[in-house]
């Protein structure tokens, strides 16, 4: 496995140390008293909480790590969100572990755990040369063959098309010259830690851990629709006709055939977070005079950032502004988005099948993946500047582009809308008329995945803004401050703290409108008065709460906003008091989405095969029949009871990323405010949420490509496979007897020619509604232009909305939490519909 150390700091030695301590190189000066506070700090309440939770995480009996020392996604095995099984591991998990150990080094002065975590990542999460053996056959002038994506899973496998021109890869030669290898230094996003699926290392069936993948079929392929497969395709499993799993995803170009191959997909947000963690480790170790102790790991973080630039490129290296597969192929760096896109992927032939390789980018950028702190460190901190000649300037450009991206996407309220794509529908299609652009990329409120919508989880807001806040804290950048000023005000307005020690923060968000301008290099920010966010429901999710608290703490430490610090510490206090348990911090989650264990997984008619768990795969496959080992899980009986008609099960989960973020948030109080050991005297309190909706706890996703209750992580397409939309099978609608439903139609925003609306559906009957179809008629000729949380169709003035996979069930006496909503057009008058039918029966509108 790759674990080489590129020690760049040794030759600079005392010169770098002197310059860093003096404040040169842009690192915020840390006082001598701060560097010597470790021992006394441990007596303060927040640092003690950090150490208490840290020790719980590291206690082997609590189950956070495998027997090989690899952190699990969660302690619990039965959990389905981005990974489909709790004892899988993600690059996200590794990034949070490394960040946790950096914080431990700051608190205690002991950097060995940080070194151990990095070395474990090198050993298990970075593919060795043997795992990517044919990179030398890669041709940067022809990176990959084109295959269109589709928003319909029934269009898969899609056809490879060698007639579509692809651009040039401008990074390959530079990286080979810099590092002397054709291999890539990056983390594939998903690892089967204990070989639960049974594929083993490169198909040997037994060795653990093993690289696996799931998302391959487009924007609506939720976790419930995935077919998990090995990243080393030996044709041992999969189709009975000897094509492995490849024939589920693509068809060879005419005259071609399927080949045994290896392939990996990187989630750029996780690699960037790892660089972010390394920056803090370097900053804190330098203040302690221990920077040489971790110099090899810091050099490898710079190397990680060098290869991370592949996450800045259009999928097929085409120029910005593509609206047709025939759009120009890129040359040089004119195919760069300079944003952290959703993934990059690479692969090639197994040696027995030839010597060829490929690489692709992603085309789509999500606000939740951006990391200006990492971009700044990779362009401005010498110890972290990558070795490749153009890398520091690339990251400097990326830093400015990311800040502009936030400005372009900031809603009237302050939240950050979804993102942009250079390949509409994954096939370089034509976006809707009037869709605004960012350096040619088209606005997309739900970039990448749609089931559920990728920007409806508040966690992406907190994660992303926490990075902006760290960058602001380090540099005082005025653009970052202006973004944060507005975002923090909104976040505080929709956060509630109660006198009884409870709290709630946003969970699900809805969006309407769009940015007000086409952003170019000469643009200046304007208020997006027609771009709006609405809080649909709320939660006490502990991981997201920690991310929000960290954002508020870093913002307060630089701006002097005592109210933000007060709110952050109040949230941390309430969380600690309400949700501490024997192994960590966890709030109960009721998982109504677990009715999808029985959902169909689309497999084309006539395709049959088996996976390594022994499951038969065919057109009758469901999520649970694909994973028969789940039937042996100690918690399966709770899910089975729900599937048999009982109440939705409730679980307490201990996700590694959440526990690490909570611990770090506690430590940050004393790191940022070292003279304090308690909550400051409150000068302001959080206000009541702007949206009136019943607080409901929703589970935390992992992102990646990873993090929503059933959020899809980073899809990992091969050059020929693109993440696709899986239409969620609609359950047989439950008949609605009598007036047992109520509909509330709410116009959430209106502007000349356009408007946004939400439709709240309440089950007023005594039996559950399992699957619904809502119909209504517009009175003034309005039209639906974009919908979410439902499948919308319109015939004349009549609109039909059907549920998606995650919001088909409405228990008696409850209002649907993921309410359908849409953006529409109108002229003259915009009166609301006056009658609604649900599953063919009229609903009350009172």
């Amino acid at each position: 496995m790759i674990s080489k150390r590129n020690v760049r700091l040794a030759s600079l030695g005392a010169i770098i140390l002197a310059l860093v301590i003096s404040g040169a190189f842009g690192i915020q000066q840390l006082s001598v008293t701060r560097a010597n506070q470790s021992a006394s700090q441990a007596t303060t309440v927040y640092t003690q909480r950090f150490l208490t939770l840290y020790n719980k995480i590291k206690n082997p009996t609590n189950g956070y790590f495998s027997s090989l020392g690899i952190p699990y996604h969660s302690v619990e095995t039965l959990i389905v969100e981005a990974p489909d099984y709790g004892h899988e591991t993600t690059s996200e998990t590794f990034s949070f572990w490394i960040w946790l150990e950096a914080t431990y080094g700051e608190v205690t002065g002991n950097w060995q755990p940080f070194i151990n975590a990095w070395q474990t990542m090198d050993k298990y999460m970075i593919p060795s040369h043997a795992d990517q053996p044919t990179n030398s056959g890669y041709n940067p002038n022809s990176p990959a063959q084109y295959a269109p994506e589709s928003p319909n899973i029934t269009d898969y496998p899609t056809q490879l098309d060698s007639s579509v021109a692809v651009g040039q890869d401008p990074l390959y030669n530079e990286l080979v010259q810099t590092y002397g290898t054709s291999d890539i230094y990056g983390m594939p996003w998903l690892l089967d830690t204990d070989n639960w699926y049974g594929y083993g290392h490169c198909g040997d069936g037994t060795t653990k851990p093993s690289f696996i993948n799931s998302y391959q079929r487009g924007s609506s392929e939720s976790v419930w629709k995935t077919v998990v497969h090995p990243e080393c395709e030996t044709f041992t499993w999969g189709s009975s006709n000897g094509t492995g799993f490849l024939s589920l995803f693509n068809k060879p170009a005419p005259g071609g055939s399927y080949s045994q191959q290896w392939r990996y997909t990187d989630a750029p947000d996780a690699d960037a977070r790892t660089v972010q963690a390394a920056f803090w480790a370097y900053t804190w170790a330098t203040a302690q005079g221990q920077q040489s102790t971790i110099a090899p790991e810091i050099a490898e973080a710079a190397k990680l950032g060098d290869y991370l630039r592949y996450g800045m490129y259009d999928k097929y290296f085409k120029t910005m502004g593509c609206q047709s597969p025939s759009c120009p192929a890129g040359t040089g760096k004119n195919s760069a988005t300079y944003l952290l896109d959703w993934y990059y992927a690479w692969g090639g032939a197994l040696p027995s099948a030839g010597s060829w390789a490929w690489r692709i980018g992603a085309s789509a950028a999500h606000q939740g993946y951006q990391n200006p702190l990492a971009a700044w460190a990779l362009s401005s901190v010498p110890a972290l500047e990558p070795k490749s000649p153009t890398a520091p300037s690339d990251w400097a450009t990326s830093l400015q582009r990311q800040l502009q991206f936030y400005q372009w996407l900031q809603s009237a309220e302050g939240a950050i809308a979804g993102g942009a794509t250079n390949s509409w529908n994954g096939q370089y299609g034509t976006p809707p008329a009037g869709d605004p652009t960012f350096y040619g990329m088209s606005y997309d409120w739900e970039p990448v995945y749609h089931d559920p919508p990728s920007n409806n989880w508040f966690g992406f807001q907190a994660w992303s803004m926490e990075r902006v806040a760290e960058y602001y804290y380090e540099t005082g950048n005025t653009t970052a401050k202006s973004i944060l000023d507005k975002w923090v005000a909104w976040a505080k307005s929709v956060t509630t703290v109660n006198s009884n020690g409870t709290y709630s923060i946003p969970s699900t968000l809805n969006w309407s409108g769009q940015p007000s301008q086409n952003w170019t290099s000469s643009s200046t920010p304007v208020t997006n008065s027609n771009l709006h966010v609405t809080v649909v429901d709320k939660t006490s999710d502990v991981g997201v709460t920690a991310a929000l608290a960290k954002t508020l703490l870093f913002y307060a430490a630089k701006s002097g906003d005592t109210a933000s610090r007060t709110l952050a510490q109040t949230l941390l206090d309430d969380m600690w008091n309400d949700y501490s348990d024997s192994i960590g911090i966890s709030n109960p989650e009721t998982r109504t989405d677990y009715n999808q264990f029985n959902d169909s997984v689309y497999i084309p008619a006539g395709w049959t095969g088996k996976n390594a768990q022994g499951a038969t795969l065919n057109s009758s496959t469901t999520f649970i029949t694909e994973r028969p080992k789940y039937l042996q899980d100690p918690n399966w009986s709770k899910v089975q009871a729900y599937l048999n008609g009982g109440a939705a099960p409730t679980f307490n989960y201990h996700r590694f990323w959440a526990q690490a973020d909570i611990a770090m948030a506690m430590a940050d109080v004393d790191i940022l405010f070292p003279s304090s050991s308690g909550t400051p005297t409150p000068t302001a309190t959080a206000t009541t949420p702007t949206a009136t909706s019943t607080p409901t706890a929703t589970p935390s996703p992992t992102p990646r490509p990873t993090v929503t209750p059933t959020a899809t992580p980073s899809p990992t397409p091969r050059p020929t496979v693109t993440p696709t939309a899986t239409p969620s099978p609609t359950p047989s609608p439950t008949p609605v007897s009598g007036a047992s439903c109520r509909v509330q139609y709410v116009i959430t925003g209106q502007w000349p020619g356009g408007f946004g609306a939400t439709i709240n559906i309440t089950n007023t009957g005594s039996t559950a509604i399992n699957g619904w179809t809502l119909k209504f008629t517009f009175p003034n000729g309005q039209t639906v232009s974009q919908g979410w949380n439902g499948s919308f169709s319109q015939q004349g003035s009549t609109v039909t909305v059907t549920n998606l996979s995650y919001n088909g069930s409405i228990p008696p006496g409850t209002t649907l939490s993921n309410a359908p909503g849409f953006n529409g057009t109108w002229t003259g008058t915009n009166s609301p519909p006056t009658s609604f039918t649900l599953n063919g029966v009229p609903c009350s509108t009172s």
Side-chain angles (χ1 to χ4, degrees), residues 731-801:
S732 301
T734 303
V736 181
S737 58
S740 57
C741 54
R742 181 173 64 249
V743 171
Q744 181 187 31
Y745 180 94
V746 180
I747 294 179
T748 56
Q750 184 168 299
W751 54 94
F755 70 106
T758 296
I759 308 170
N760 296 312
I761 306 172
T762 302
N763 181 359
T764 58
S766 58
T767 59
I769 296 173
N770 292 311
W772 50 265
T773 297
L774 180 74
K775 291 189 176 183
F776 60 91
T777 301
F778 281 126
N780 309 120
Q782 300 98 319
T783 61
V784 173
S785 57
Q786 178 190 52
W788 52 88
N789 290 337
S791 177
F792 284 75
S793 62
Q794 185 170 351
Q795 294 272 356
S797 295
T798 301
V799 178
T800 302
V801 192

Side-chain angles (χ1 to χ4, degrees), residues 130-131 199-205 210-211 232-234 237 261-262 350:
D131 292 325
Y199 295 116
H201 181 258
C202 204
D204 68 10
S210 62
F211 291 113
C232 191
E233 179 56 84
T234 62
W237 296 278
Q261 59 187 265
W262 54 271
L350 290 177

Side-chain angles (χ1 to χ4, degrees), residues 98 297 688:
I98 288 170
E297 288 69 37
T688 306

Side-chain angles (χ1 to χ4, degrees), residues 809-825:
S809 178
I810 315 176
T814 64
T815 299
L816 184 66
S817 60
N818 294 294
F822 64 92
N823 289 335
T825 62

Side-chain angles (χ1 to χ4, degrees), residues 473-538:
Y473 173 77
E474 279 299 305
T475 67
N477 180 271
T478 56
T479 299
K481 182 180 187 302
S482 66
I483 295 165
L484 287 164
D485 286 344
K486 193 170 183 179
W487 189 91
V488 167
W490 168 75
K492 289 195 290 189
S493 76
V494 292
T495 296
T496 302
V497 291
N498 303 309
S499 58
N500 64 355
T502 61
Y503 68 88
S504 61
I505 63 172
S507 177
T508 307
L509 306 176
N510 269 348
W511 301 89
S512 62
Q514 58 187 24
S516 298
Q517 62 179 320
N518 293 328
W519 191 287
T520 66
S521 59
S522 60
S523 295
T524 56
V526 298
T527 300
N528 285 322
S529 57
N530 293 327
L531 178 58
H532 297 284
V533 64
T534 303
V535 176
V536 176
D537 52 34
K538 303 188 79 177

Side-chain angles (χ1 to χ4, degrees), residues 14 18-19 25 34 58 66 92 144 170 252 299 333 395 467 572 651:
L19 288 171
F25 296 170
R34 177 71 198 94
K58 298 300 288 290
S66 78
E92 169 192 275
K333 295 186 177 180
W395 282 111
R467 300 164 195 148
L572 294 176
F651 294 93

Side-chain angles (χ1 to χ4, degrees), residues 76 300 473 551 616 722:
E76 297 74 23
E300 288 200 333
Y473 173 77
T551 307
T616 297
T722 49

